[in-house]
Amino acid sequence: MRGYDKHAFEPFAVTVDLAVLTLRAGALHVLLVERGQEPYAGRWALPGGFLLPEESAETAARRELAEETGLADVTGLHLEQLRTYSEPARDPRMRVVSVAFAALLPNPPEPRGGGDAAEARWVPYDKAQGLAFDHDRILADARDRVGAKLEYTCLATAFCPAEFTLGELQGVYETVWGTALDRPNFRRKVLATPGFVEPVPGAARLTGGRGKPAALYRAGPATSLHPPLPRTPREGRPA
Amino acid sequence: MRGYDKHAFEPFAVTVDLAVLTLRAGALHVLLVERGQEPYAGRWALPGGFLLPEESAETAARRELAEETGLADVTGLHLEQLRTYSEPARDPRMRVVSVAFAALLPNPPEPRGGGDAAEARWVPYDKAQGLAFDHDRILADARDRVGAKLEYTCLATAFCPAEFTLGELQGVYETVWGTALDRPNFRRKVLATPGFVEPVPGAARLTGGRGKPAALYRAGPATSLHPPLPRTPREGRPA
DNA sequence: CGTCTTTATAGTCGTAGTGACTATTAAGGG
DNA sequence: CCCTTAATAGTCACTACGACTATAAAGACG
């Protein structure tokens, strides 16, 4: 079977599924929708939908992201293809091949209900279990990918608003990894990485609570982290 | 468009494309097939083909790998999903969504011609340009992915036969990365990583050429490399 | 108005990892 | 028998990092 040509081919339905992750109240949350129809009626699922005839998977994913979050502008958001799930039995009705994406949001908006009656809701990651289809697996893969990329990329700023403190940035790592990091060491490492964060020159303080006001930073132009930020600050699993 | 249900869906053709990489004569090679039909007749392309009705993409990829290489047993070979390419215009005939894989081979066999007349051939990576469809892009992505995974995983042994010398293992890194590594430092690093390689106890030497015979090693159980093997031994780009 | 708490920031110290070397060993080629 | 080649052993200095202590600047609470 060389070069697509010789044989008849089976038509497949192609969808995108989105693991939209954000931080709310110091916990990792994922956007879920409640299914209205069979199969899996009443179960929670990752938002997603069919590819339109003239769309790439990336285009469809960004369209779905806008629809489900209700955000007017999703162009700046981090959207990343995870992998494609194609087990023959993953949808009981027919062959559905799904291209999965992970999306990262800074300030989580309240999800609006889309055009249909399905409900969308932010759910803590730990409670997002028993999802429809193979979405448990997709969601776990998304978290693994994001956690891994925090180590060697500057992805963490995608969870933060335009201006943020180093404490907030550290909270991203601690929340996604589930480990505590030493604050002075984290600070030293981040500031020593050129282009990771840039200080906001003028108004360099922000406070919502107690303690000394923290300086504000913006995301810098760097995308990779060399050497990586290790996952083992106090406790941690071995290699 | 929630949960797959509401709208009619477009049927797509789904294929797998394989970037089969190996080392021949100290250079990275990729397995290419010559296309017999339009579009891109006479051009070289990555091997691949349609998903069968009851196959996952992984199953189809491994089947194609066996067909194209002529190897009887491909179960032990490293096969890894890269990403899915779904641009609407990537195939001029129709909507074809392709799930791309990277495969790594130790001893490259001479490719056999498959059932059809198309020719398969090992081509040096640097000369594999002007491929059909978006296969230039897929091939470049495969090389990027493999190169990156060499840094922080034990993937390099997938390019080596069952027993190999540390010099051969170092050659994998140098060939894929295109950089020279310091031999004593490489040796120290590899041996200091538990589970990366294990010495072959009995006959611990092999020679095909000049020089002191090298000890033989096998791949160990470890899969990740902590801390990673940095890409900058003598010369190298900055972070 | 002071003290306590909280958070940010500054700095110190010892160690592990590593880049850059040099030296030695064991083979083959002329 | 030397020369070359490649593997292996070992040294040394520097840097990054984990662990830790100290100081600064805010609000809370009496």
Side-chain angles (χ1 to χ4, degrees):
Chain A
M1 187 176 289
R2 291 255 172 73
Y4 304 165
D5 295 43
K6 279 293 174 54
H7 306 270
F9 64 91
E10 185 85 354
F12 293 86
V14 177
T15 63
V16 293
D17 283 317
L18 271 68
V20 186
L21 301 175
T22 195
L23 299 181
R24 280 165 60 106
L28 186 66
H29 283 62
V30 60
L31 186 66
L32 296 182
V33 298
E34 191 172 14
R35 287 185 54 81
Q37 297 92 353
E38 292 295 335
Y40 300 103
R43 298 274 283 277
W44 292 88
L46 299 178
F50 290 103
L51 249 71
L52 298 181
E54 296 301 323
E55 276 181 332
S56 69
E58 282 71 19
T59 304
R62 205 165 283 278
R63 172 177 55 76
E64 291 285 344
L65 180 60
E67 290 179 9
E68 301 292 344
T69 61
L71 292 174
D73 184 16
V74 295
T75 51
L77 300 180
H78 181 85
L79 183 69
E80 170 176 337
Q81 191 183 128
L82 280 178
R83 50 158 292 191
T84 293
Y85 299 81
S86 58
E87 295 300 319
R90 63 179 296 277
D91 189 314
R93 294 164 296 176
M94 56 182 172
R95 282 305 302 269
V96 178
V97 171
S98 183
V99 186
F101 289 80
L104 270 45
L105 261 64
N107 302 314
E110 277 311 308
R112 59 154 202 192
D116 41 25
E119 189 184 359
R121 188 177 293 175
W122 291 110
V123 176
Y125 177 85
D126 297 328
K127 293 181 177 159
Q129 298 169 354
L131 305 184
F133 306 107
D134 49 2
H135 289 187
D136 280 337
R137 170 85 189 283
I138 297 177
L139 179 57
D141 289 348
R143 190 218 169 94
D144 286 349
R145 172 77 71 88
V146 171
K149 290 195 85 167
L150 286 188
E151 294 186 45
Y152 58 94
T153 72
C154 300
L155 187 61
T157 54
F159 278 111
C160 295
E163 300 186 346
F164 52 87
T165 69
L166 292 185
E168 292 167 355
L169 187 66
Q170 181 177 345
V172 172
Y173 284 89
E174 294 180 330
T175 302
V176 176
W177 286 349
T179 61
L181 281 79
D182 181 81
R183 199 182 293 264
N185 289 341
F186 177 84
R187 174 187 191 79
R188 184 216 299 161
K189 172 74 179 176
V190 169
L191 293 181
T193 302
F196 190 0
V197 297
E198 295 172 343
V200 177
R205 47 194 52 228
L206 160 134
T207 178
R210 305 178 280 282
K212 178 175 175 178
L216 287 178
Y217 293 85
R218 285 199 200 93
T223 58
S224 64
L225 217 51
H226 277 284
L229 211 157
R231 218 159 169 162
T232 58
R234 300 197 171 281
E235 312 289 47
R237 79 214 70 170
Chain B
M1 188 175 290
R2 292 255 173 74
Y4 303 168
D5 294 40
K6 279 293 174 52
H7 306 272
F9 64 90
E10 185 87 351
F12 293 86
V14 178
T15 63
V16 293
D17 283 316
L18 271 67
V20 186
L21 300 175
T22 195
L23 299 181
R24 279 164 60 105
L28 186 67
H29 283 63
V30 59
L31 187 65
L32 295 182
V33 297
E34 193 172 14
R35 287 185 54 82
Q37 295 91 355
E38 292 296 335
Y40 299 104
R43 297 275 281 278
W44 293 89
L46 299 178
F50 291 104
L51 250 69
L52 298 181
E54 296 302 322
E55 275 181 333
S56 69
E58 281 71 18
T59 304
R62 206 165 283 278
R63 172 177 57 75
E64 291 285 344
L65 180 61
E67 291 179 7
E68 300 293 344
T69 61
L71 292 174
D73 185 16
V74 294
T75 51
L77 299 180
H78 181 85
L79 183 68
E80 171 176 337
Q81 192 182 127
L82 281 178
R83 51 160 292 193
T84 293
Y85 299 81
S86 59
E87 295 299 319
R90 63 180 295 277
D91 189 314
R93 294 165 297 176
M94 57 182 172
R95 282 306 302 268
V96 178
V97 170
S98 184
V99 187
F101 289 81
L104 270 47
L105 261 65
N107 303 313
E110 277 310 308
R112 59 156 201 189
D116 42 25
E119 190 184 358
R121 188 178 292 175
W122 291 111
V123 176
Y125 177 85
D126 297 326
K127 292 180 179 161
Q129 297 168 355
L131 304 183
F133 305 106
D134 49 3
H135 290 187
D136 280 337
R137 170 86 189 283
I138 297 177
L139 179 56
D141 288 348
R143 189 217 169 96
D144 286 348
R145 171 79 69 89
V146 171
K149 290 195 85 168
L150 286 188
E151 294 186 47
Y152 58 95
T153 71
C154 299
L155 187 64
T157 55
F159 279 110
C160 295
E163 299 186 346
F164 51 87
T165 69
L166 292 186
E168 291 166 357
L169 187 66
Q170 180 177 347
V172 172
Y173 283 88
E174 294 180 331
T175 302
V176 176
W177 286 350
T179 59
L181 283 81
D182 181 81
R183 199 183 293 264
N185 290 340
F186 178 83
R187 172 187 192 79
R188 185 217 296 161
K189 173 73 179 176
V190 170
L191 294 181
T193 303
F196 191 1
V197 297
E198 296 172 343
V200 177
R205 47 192 52 229
L206 160 135
T207 177
R210 304 178 282 281
K212 179 175 174 177
L216 287 179
Y217 294 84
R218 284 200 201 92
T223 58
S224 64
L225 218 49
H226 278 285
L229 212 157
R231 218 159 170 163
T232 58
R234 300 197 172 283
E235 313 287 50
R237 79 214 70 171

